[in-house]
Amino acid sequence: MPGTTSNSEMLYRVLGSTGEKVSAIGLGGWHLALKHVDEQLAIRIVRTAIDRGITFMDNSWDYNGGVSEIRMGKALRDRYRDKVFLMTKIDGRSKKVAAKQLDESLQRLQVDCIDLVQHHEILRHEDPHRVFDEEGANAALIEAREAGKLRYIGFTGHKDPYVHLHMLEVAAANGFKFDTAQMPLNVMDAHYRSFEKLVVPELVKQNIGVLGMKSLANGIILRSNTVTPIECLHYALNLPTSVVITGIDNMEILEQAFEAVRTFQPMNDQQVRSLLAKTAEAASRGKFEPFKTSSIFDSTAQNPDWLGEEPQRLQQLMSA
């Protein structure tokens, strides 16, 4: 585990080469604006989580049409902002659209600076090239970092570990190193198109902060009837993750996250093998990781305009 420390209820780990200490559990922003979660409950969840030691806040420009960011912004009033490491994501691949989305996120979150901004849904093999084009989104984030609008830059994706590796390669070719990378890390992933096996070792080698998500896959993994929620969270915490981001839409699920931390002990190889043996058959074809095998989790595929246009010089190639 990367530089683990603790208080009475939470573990804290170092976020890659940034030196930042963050809670080992991160609060997922998408769930804060689901249909059954009203604004009052969302604010209560966020503030209770912070009061008990969760410092890492996850969000995205596109979550629930911006409502997730708006609600988190309200929850972070009254000096709660000072207690957290705030992350959000933008979908834009062009410099213009990325800059616009970032400014909208800043406004919704009611902050002048976001600790970490990540390129969201790096799913396609062309995404890294679009992000690192001279007119691409990373140029916007670098300018925003210089202007004090953000501190660190990362990327996320849930489709294919080889796309993550490609993103790292294209970044290196452009002389850039990410601060973080976010990906699905769970008891099923090890058996199918595995981010754990392919991407995590490279991130550890480069000292890039590992952000795990989909530890329960929005509850889908539990439908396999092979593992418990606590086992899922323990498995993800046992990996070299700086943060395990989990969706919390009620106070009972928040309590579950703290229970997972309270009962967590580093697992030995035999314990890991035993847990993975329980999920091997169910996980073999990606059935319980539909974000890898279908498009239903791909919000940018359903809203391609969020990405922005390709540079004009490339569009002109079609008419040449």
Side-chain angles (χ1 to χ4, degrees):
M1 293 349 105
T4 301
T5 59
S6 65
N7 70 5
S8 59
E9 288 202 278
M10 184 50 55
L11 299 172
Y12 299 91
R13 296 173 174 176
V14 177
L15 184 63
S17 59
T18 69
E20 302 281 349
K21 283 212 168 174
V22 289
S23 55
I25 292 288
L27 191 148
W30 183 63
H31 287 69
L32 295 177
L34 298 180
K35 290 180 180 178
H36 60 278
V37 180
D38 62 28
E39 184 174 283
Q40 186 176 6
L41 175 58
I43 292 172
R44 183 182 173 208
I45 289 170
V46 172
R47 292 191 168 185
T48 303
I50 297 169
D51 288 340
R52 294 180 62 181
I54 291 178
T55 63
F56 191 98
M57 299 288 122
D58 160 272
N59 224 306
S60 180
W61 172 85
D62 63 45
Y63 284 169
N64 301 293
V67 177
S68 286
E69 287 186 328
I70 290 169
R71 289 183 175 182
M72 185 165 282
K74 291 179 178 179
L76 294 181
R77 292 173 180 167
D78 306 324
R79 302 193 67 79
Y80 274 90
R81 169 66 182 100
D82 300 338
K83 302 177 182 180
V84 302
F85 185 93
L86 180 60
M87 178 269 279
T88 199
K89 317 175 194 84
I90 52 100
D91 297 306
R93 301 294 184 255
S94 72
K95 182 178 179 180
K96 178 181 177 181
V97 171
K100 180 175 181 290
Q101 291 173 358
L102 175 60
D103 284 342
E104 289 173 358
S105 289
L106 286 161
Q107 186 175 17
R108 293 170 184 163
L109 292 164
Q110 302 183 43
V111 297
D112 297 321
C113 177
I114 299 168
D115 295 300
L116 169 64
V117 176
Q118 300 195 100
H119 300 286
H120 194 208
E121 290 196 4
I122 302 300
L123 310 178
R124 313 153 191 85
H125 280 280
E126 71 269 21
D127 282 342
H129 293 286
R130 294 191 69 183
V131 166
F132 281 98
D133 187 271
E134 60 188 31
E135 299 175 46
N138 209 56
L141 295 194
I142 290 172
E143 286 187 7
R145 185 175 63 185
E146 292 171 352
K149 293 181 179 181
L150 62 90
R151 299 171 64 211
Y152 303 110
I153 299 172
F155 74 97
T156 84
H158 55 248
K159 188 66 66 182
D160 190 325
Y162 287 105
V163 176
H164 266 55
L165 293 175
H166 185 44
M167 186 68 156
L168 294 172
E169 291 170 356
V170 174
N174 283 272
F176 185 84
K177 180 190 169 186
F178 284 107
D179 297 302
T180 60
Q182 183 170 328
M183 71 219 78
L185 292 171
N186 58 61
V187 294
M188 299 285 179
D189 169 77
H191 302 293
Y192 183 82
R193 210 189 289 169
S194 177
F195 286 86
E196 172 190 338
K197 292 180 178 179
L198 294 170
V199 180
V200 170
E202 185 61 28
L203 298 178
V204 171
K205 177 181 173 184
Q206 296 190 35
N207 199 17
I208 294 172
V210 180
L211 304 180
M213 63 176 170
K214 304 194 187 318
S215 50
L216 289 85
N218 201 31
I220 296 169
I221 287 174
L222 302 180
R223 298 180 196 174
S224 68
N225 297 314
T226 59
V227 284
T228 67
I230 296 296
E231 285 177 320
C232 289
L233 290 167
H234 280 177
Y235 184 84
L237 286 167
N238 194 65
L239 295 171
T241 44
S242 293
V243 184
V244 174
I245 297 163
T246 186
I248 297 171
D249 56 6
N250 60 58
M251 300 307 289
E252 291 73 25
I253 297 297
L254 178 62
E255 192 60 46
Q256 175 182 279
F258 282 101
E259 174 72 6
V261 170
R262 187 184 68 80
T263 56
F264 175 70
Q265 292 291 333
M267 299 160 65
N268 61 38
D269 290 345
Q270 179 55 46
Q271 289 172 312
V272 171
R273 284 195 297 269
S274 177
L275 185 53
L276 288 178
K278 295 166 66 173
T279 61
E281 183 177 353
S284 63
R285 293 187 296 275
K287 177 181 178 182
F288 295 98
E289 292 188 283
F291 39 84
K292 293 180 180 177
T293 59
S294 75
S295 64
I296 62 170
F297 282 75
D298 304 352
S299 57
T300 53
Q302 298 163 33
N303 299 275
D305 55 303
W306 291 352
L307 301 176
E309 293 186 342
E310 295 276 11
Q312 284 295 316
R313 71 177 195 284
L314 293 178
Q315 294 187 46
Q316 289 167 0
L317 297 175
M318 293 298 293
S319 59

